[in-house]
Amino acid sequence: MKLPSYVLECLNALEDAGYPAYVVGGCVRDACLGLQPHDYDICTAATPRQTEAVFAGKKLVLAGEKHGTVGVVTAGGVVEITTFRTEGAYRDNRHPDWVKFVDSVESDLSRRDYTVNAMAYSPTRGFADPFGGRGDLEAKVLRAVGDPVTRFQEDSLRILRGVRFAVKYGLSVDPATESAMQSQAHLMDNLAEERIFDELCKLLPLVSAEDLCRFAPILGAVIPELQPMIGFDQHSPHHAYDLFTHTAHVTAGVSADLTLRWAALLHDTGKVAAFTRDESGRGHFYGHAQKSAEIADNVLRRLKAPTALREQAVLLIGQHMTSLTPDKKLLRRRVSRLGWDTLDALLTLQEADMGGKGTGITEEGDVFPEIRAVLAEIRAENACLTVKNLAVNGNDLLALGYRGKAIGETLNALLEGVLDETLPNERAALLDRAKRRISIQSRKCKARSRSRRRSRRGHRSRRFPRSRMYR
């Protein structure tokens, strides 16, 4: 295993001071797979105080010192150096009650999650692989270290991490480990929502439809709104798959963009609640797009997703049943309303939704290439699609006598005319239309004023009849 010079310097400094030291965990796993590690962690027999003494001439990061970790700032970045340790019970299923420093790398590796992560390497001491991690990598197996139930009771986030490792590295999960993953999945209720969201964000861009179906029970444990979808028969000739399997294919069918993946995963969460069957037994899902958008908003708020991601995903879900055809006027309106980026994402989601039905039949023909061709024409035309693109602006309307909200309303009305192609985006034509509009509004306003005056006079007359007024 070839190590960068800055890592070797740290290992050599510890060894020269008499402390055994190894690189450990993910960097060893990735190197065994022929991948380039992104970062390197070191474990050593040196206590934190001894590590600080060894690197007294370096800038240190001591935030993790109480858990045995000292960060050493090197030319290649911060290298975390952690003392060999064992741990006490995990009463909160996330953090150990106590940490005890030991002098054996094997004892340290025994506390780790999976065998493929429980390997260490030293240029002078060779590999430490007491649980057969290299053999499991070669066999493409993900196996917990020791008793899997105990491992997941210690830290339930390891369940989601295991799903990600299996997907990322193409590993099959050892049966005992997979059984424990499912039986202990309820412990993930104790995790901070931010940790769940972060792990899911690492997982979603990697998954295939098969991955999502394989780990559906675990995903349903952290997103309960997915559970009713698993195995749900849609009773539709347009769907060969159950609802969750359809969702899995749609999720894998969009690009790896994180917002799109979340939108695809949650786009049909409202179908179960919206489900009805007609007299023939055929299933219908009227209003499910809006219902799904509401559910997705709740899910992403609960997981504390960034506002921009949540709002965009919810918008896409709410619009995913919106009709898109190769009609230029219609598409201009869609671009005007949604913007180019959102419309592109919506088109991608709809295409994956259509392709994820499993019937092999496209309901309305493959219109998506045609839609994209028309959108390319609209782009090339550099057409007026927003109020900002109009040949007039608010100052022009102020000069005509417009005030307040009437300015925005009139600009939007002018844009509607341009989008309908009933009005050219030319300054003279727009000003002429605006003049006529304010003239009409002025006449209506005067008429309403006269009507109000007549109404007030009539009201006074009824209150004070003439025969009484002059008595």
Side-chain angles (χ1 to χ4, degrees):
M1 181 176 175
K2 186 175 181 180
L3 299 173
S5 58
Y6 68 93
V7 176
L8 282 171
E9 288 174 9
C10 292
L11 290 171
N12 291 336
L14 289 163
E15 291 282 355
D16 290 345
Y19 306 114
Y22 300 78
V23 289
V24 67
C27 63
V28 182
R29 176 199 64 223
D30 289 351
C32 289
L33 289 169
L35 304 174
Q36 179 60 49
H38 295 295
D39 52 34
Y40 295 84
D41 295 326
I42 291 176
C43 61
T44 179
T47 65
R49 291 293 178 87
Q50 290 167 336
T51 300
E52 290 173 38
V54 170
F55 296 98
K58 296 277 190 179
K59 184 176 180 180
L60 304 178
V61 179
L62 303 177
E65 186 180 18
K66 68 177 182 178
H67 298 297
T69 300
V70 174
V72 178
V73 179
T74 72
V78 177
V79 176
E80 290 192 344
I81 300 174
T82 303
T83 305
F84 299 151
R85 69 189 194 189
T86 58
E87 298 167 339
Y90 287 67
R91 282 184 292 184
D92 63 355
N93 307 118
R94 185 72 188 99
H95 304 96
D97 292 346
W98 50 262
V99 171
K100 179 182 178 182
F101 299 143
V102 296
D103 57 7
S104 162
V105 68
E106 289 78 14
S107 296
D108 181 86
L109 295 175
S110 69
R111 69 181 176 82
R112 297 178 183 266
D113 51 7
Y114 298 99
T115 62
V116 297
N117 296 330
M119 297 182 288
Y121 171 76
S122 163
T124 58
R125 300 170 186 273
F127 272 96
D129 182 18
F131 303 101
R134 277 193 292 180
D136 282 343
L137 278 180
E138 291 172 3
K140 294 284 187 179
V141 171
L142 183 74
R143 189 191 317 274
V145 172
D147 175 45
V149 171
T150 301
R151 292 288 83 77
F152 301 139
Q153 288 177 345
E154 289 171 345
D155 183 356
S156 54
L157 188 64
R158 288 170 171 169
I159 298 172
L160 274 183
R161 281 168 52 83
V163 172
R164 175 162 58 89
F165 293 143
V167 169
K168 184 174 182 178
Y169 299 112
L171 307 176
S172 61
V173 184
D174 165 70
T177 299
E178 186 165 14
S179 175
M181 280 178 158
Q182 295 187 13
S183 69
Q184 303 304 308
H186 65 280
L187 296 176
M188 291 187 288
D189 290 344
N190 299 327
L191 294 172
E193 302 290 0
E194 298 93 330
R195 300 298 301 273
I196 293 173
F197 179 74
D198 181 62
E199 197 60 52
L200 289 173
C201 285
K202 294 175 183 177
L203 172 65
L204 277 180
L206 305 174
V207 292
S208 66
E210 293 74 19
D211 294 327
L212 287 168
C213 291
R214 179 168 51 141
F215 295 111
I218 293 171
L219 294 172
V222 290
I223 305 178
E225 292 81 357
L226 297 177
Q227 289 179 354
M229 302 166 64
I230 300 171
F232 186 86
D233 188 343
Q234 301 190 71
H235 294 280
S236 170
H238 303 293
H239 285 278
Y241 299 132
D242 68 76
L243 183 53
F244 187 83
T245 302
H246 162 71
T247 296
H249 282 275
V250 177
T251 305
V254 300
S255 69
D257 175 79
L258 193 53
T259 301
L260 259 176
R261 289 272 165 138
W262 274 107
L265 182 68
L266 302 174
H267 83 284
D268 273 352
T269 46
K271 268 192 167 183
V272 175
F275 177 66
T276 59
R277 294 177 74 177
D278 60 25
E279 293 179 356
S280 69
R282 179 174 174 176
H284 299 280
F285 305 93
Y286 302 118
H288 82 271
Q290 188 54 44
K291 181 64 177 175
S292 298
E294 293 169 4
I295 292 173
D297 187 64
N298 290 334
V299 169
L300 293 171
R301 284 181 186 276
R302 184 177 70 240
L303 294 176
K304 298 180 172 56
T307 301
L309 183 151
R310 173 178 55 80
E311 290 180 347
Q312 180 71 347
V314 169
L315 173 62
L316 291 173
I317 292 168
Q319 294 290 324
H320 84 269
M321 295 299 292
T322 298
S323 174
L324 293 178
T325 66
D327 180 277
K328 187 175 284 190
K329 286 185 181 180
L330 174 66
L331 290 176
R332 282 200 193 101
R333 285 186 171 279
R334 298 297 186 220
V335 176
S336 176
R337 180 184 173 191
L338 298 173
W340 282 107
D341 290 344
T342 298
L343 186 62
D344 285 343
L346 180 60
L347 192 61
T348 300
L349 179 59
Q350 288 191 344
E351 189 169 17
D353 196 17
M354 186 70 72
K357 296 185 176 183
T359 61
I361 302 171
T362 305
E363 248 177 87
E364 301 172 3
D366 190 2
V367 298
F368 296 102
E370 296 178 55
I371 293 173
R372 288 193 171 89
V374 175
L375 287 173
E377 291 178 17
I378 295 172
R379 281 185 186 271
E381 290 169 358
N382 197 25
C384 173
L385 300 173
T386 68
V387 166
K388 291 181 179 179
N389 301 138
L390 287 171
V392 297
N393 57 36
N395 290 330
D396 296 316
L397 298 188
L398 278 170
L400 293 178
Y402 281 91
R403 295 293 182 271
K405 66 179 183 179
I407 295 174
E409 291 172 352
T410 301
L411 288 173
N412 285 325
L414 295 176
L415 177 61
E416 288 293 313
V418 172
L419 292 172
D420 281 341
E421 299 181 355
T422 59
L423 183 63
N425 187 28
E426 297 172 358
R427 181 175 174 80
L430 295 174
L431 288 176
D432 182 63
R433 177 68 63 85
K435 289 175 184 175
R436 280 188 283 155
R437 183 180 171 88
I438 197 172
S439 176
I440 293 170
Q441 290 174 346
S442 177
R443 289 198 297 270
K444 288 181 178 179
C445 184
K446 288 178 180 178
R448 285 195 297 270
S449 179
R450 287 194 297 270
S451 176
R452 284 195 295 270
R453 286 198 298 272
R454 286 196 297 269
S455 176
R456 285 196 295 271
R457 284 199 298 270
H459 182 64
R460 285 196 298 269
S461 297
R462 287 190 296 273
R463 289 179 59 195
F464 302 106
R466 181 177 295 273
S467 59
R468 292 181 59 191
M469 290 174 63
Y470 295 99
R471 285 181 182 173

